[in-house]
Amino acid sequence: MLSRGASRPAVPRQRPGGSVRLIVVSDHSLVSEAVRMALTSRGFEAVSLAAPLGRGGHRDFAQRVVRFGPAVGLLLCELEDRSLLRDAVAVVGSVRIRWVLLTRSRDSAAWGALVDAGVAAVLPMTTNLDSLADALSRVAAGQAVMSEEVRRQTLEAWREESIQSRRVARLMEALTPREMAVLAQLHDGLTVKLIALQAGVSEGTVRSQVKAILRKLQVSSQLAAVAAFRQMREFSLAATEDD
């Protein structure tokens, strides 16, 4: 994944007088093609592209975008988990164009991660075609669609999640390899009894390990410890990597 500081190809500015060039990006080809056709009926010159996979895929994706020369990109993404957020951030970071995100997600932190990566506006999946076309035209023209207040709130939500996730990651560093393995098994839904059976130790031994985990993570329940583990893992998936 490209970091925000990494070099990314710039798309040449669209020449005045023509229809707005647009790319529609999604990992659901039928959906992106349907959206492309609908926006074409509203006067856009649009192509649909599959969301890239892997670093090589992002380079090829960026080259295809540059060749087409769009004024704006439309990203369709559900953002159900942080792995999808990571992929969405990589798409936005791969080429220097204006982006609009269309999503069902109401996760302010996820919105903030994408705004931080370069998304100019976030719209709900329920947006009607005329409103979507208007927003894309405005973004392509460099006009603001997302209010500064909403933008600030989403960026703040992402910043707070990042701070909390880094704190959890630091606490996780205090766990022994065995304690981390037990925590991962708890996350996977195993009971203390099953963990003990698999390890060939007593349930009392596992309970002692669980108590040590709770103390080191500064939480009071297994549920909270599992939530902290999930947060750490999801944040590591969403965090940008150096190219």
Side-chain angles (χ1 to χ4, degrees):
M1 178 187 308
L2 294 175
S3 65
R4 288 191 298 277
S7 176
R8 54 180 179 169
V11 177
R13 289 185 179 181
Q14 188 165 300
R15 288 177 294 180
S19 59
V20 174
R21 284 193 170 188
L22 163 74
I23 57 168
V24 182
V25 181
S26 172
D27 55 0
H28 298 292
S29 59
L30 292 178
V31 174
S32 59
E33 182 61 15
V35 172
R36 183 200 70 80
M37 292 176 63
L39 289 168
T40 298
S41 73
R42 291 298 191 274
F44 289 87
E45 184 181 349
V47 298
S48 59
L49 297 176
L53 298 173
R55 293 190 177 186
H58 283 99
R59 284 190 292 270
D60 179 65
F61 172 83
Q63 291 170 0
R64 294 174 66 189
V65 173
V66 169
R67 284 197 296 269
F68 181 63
V72 63
L74 175 62
L75 178 61
L76 311 176
C77 190
E78 300 296 346
L79 301 176
E80 293 102 337
D81 58 50
R82 288 302 184 258
S83 64
L84 293 176
L85 175 60
R86 173 201 60 194
D87 294 340
V89 167
V91 168
V92 172
S94 62
V95 284
R96 197 160 59 242
I97 63 174
R98 299 182 179 95
W99 286 94
V100 173
L101 171 67
L102 195 63
T103 183
R104 286 192 178 90
S105 172
R106 300 176 66 86
D107 185 341
S108 293
W111 289 18
L114 284 160
V115 168
D116 192 37
V119 164
V122 181
L123 300 174
M125 199 69 75
T126 54
T127 302
N128 64 50
L129 183 59
D130 288 336
S131 297
L132 176 59
D134 178 67
L136 289 167
S137 296
R138 290 170 60 193
V139 169
Q143 300 174 12
V145 173
M146 175 180 282
S147 73
E148 281 302 313
E149 178 63 17
V150 172
R151 178 183 175 85
R152 184 193 63 77
Q153 289 174 354
T154 62
L155 288 171
E156 181 64 19
W158 175 239
R159 187 188 71 83
E160 290 178 359
E161 179 174 306
S162 300
I163 291 172
Q164 175 61 17
S165 296
R166 291 190 183 96
R167 174 183 173 275
V168 169
R170 287 194 297 270
L171 293 174
M172 290 281 179
E173 292 174 358
L175 300 183
T176 67
R178 179 57 194 158
E179 289 165 351
M180 183 63 80
V182 168
L183 181 55
Q185 289 174 307
L186 291 172
H187 175 267
D188 291 339
L190 274 67
T191 63
V192 167
K193 183 176 182 179
L194 285 175
I195 294 172
L197 285 172
Q198 289 188 4
V201 298
S202 69
E203 290 183 40
T205 296
V206 176
R207 288 196 177 91
S208 294
Q209 292 166 339
V210 171
K211 288 180 180 178
I213 292 168
L214 301 186
R215 183 182 70 256
K216 291 178 180 180
L217 296 185
Q218 301 175 13
V219 295
S220 58
S221 68
Q222 288 186 32
L223 186 62
V226 166
F229 179 84
R230 183 182 301 112
Q231 182 181 30
M232 178 207 65
R233 190 176 70 170
E234 289 185 345
F235 182 76
S236 68
L237 288 172
T240 55
E241 302 170 357
D242 291 330
D243 192 34

